[in-house]
Amino acid sequence: QVQLVESGGGLVQAGGSLRLSCAASGRTFSTYAMGWFRQAPGKEREFVAAISWSGGSTYYADSVKGRFTISRDNAKNTVYLQMNSLKPEDTAVYYCAAGYTGGVAVSLYDYWGQGTQVTVSS
């Protein structure tokens, strides 16, 4: 029902910034809660940030709190993840996800993007 296309990943030095974008199509974007997850090689996919359908509520993993900001522009059917003060441990494949209920668990999301690689060099 919903297709998610991510962009903005790449290679950045520690302390730098990147902004990831996730463009949605196929259904009414504004009815979904959105989340960002990441997965490093050999590790479980972990929660990064989430935002409610209205944009009024956000939640962040402790590891990124104060450095990352999730936002959405429903008119553009796009969700963003602004990543500042990046650290080598932020290196992972980042995934955009959409769900009717949202939350921190992978199982709560119905649609996923293809993933985009973020590599932070020391």
Side-chain angles (χ1 to χ4, degrees), residues 10-91:
L11 175 65
V12 65
Q13 290 185 310
S17 298
L18 285 173
R19 188 176 77 159
L20 305 183
S21 298
C22 176
S25 63
R27 298 286 287 186
T28 303
F29 173 75
S30 61
T31 64
Y32 293 92
M34 301 294 297
W36 286 96
F37 292 77
R38 66 188 183 186
Q39 187 169 22
K43 300 186 69 175
E44 296 289 327
R45 189 169 300 187
E46 66 174 354
F47 171 79
V48 176
I51 188 167
S52 64
W53 67 268
S54 67
S57 299
T58 59
Y59 186 80
Y60 299 92
D62 288 341
S63 59
V64 306
K65 199 171 299 180
R67 299 188 297 121
F68 291 10
T69 302
I70 187 171
S71 62
R72 67 190 299 163
D73 186 338
N74 289 343
K76 296 181 178 179
N77 286 7
T78 302
V79 63
Y80 305 95
L81 185 68
Q82 179 66 47
M83 305 185 294
N84 298 326
S85 301
L86 283 162
K87 305 174 180 179
E89 50 263 45
D90 295 318
T91 296

Side-chain angles (χ1 to χ4, degrees), residues 94-106:
Y94 282 70
Y95 297 90
C96 176
Y100 291 107
T101 59
V104 303
V106 169

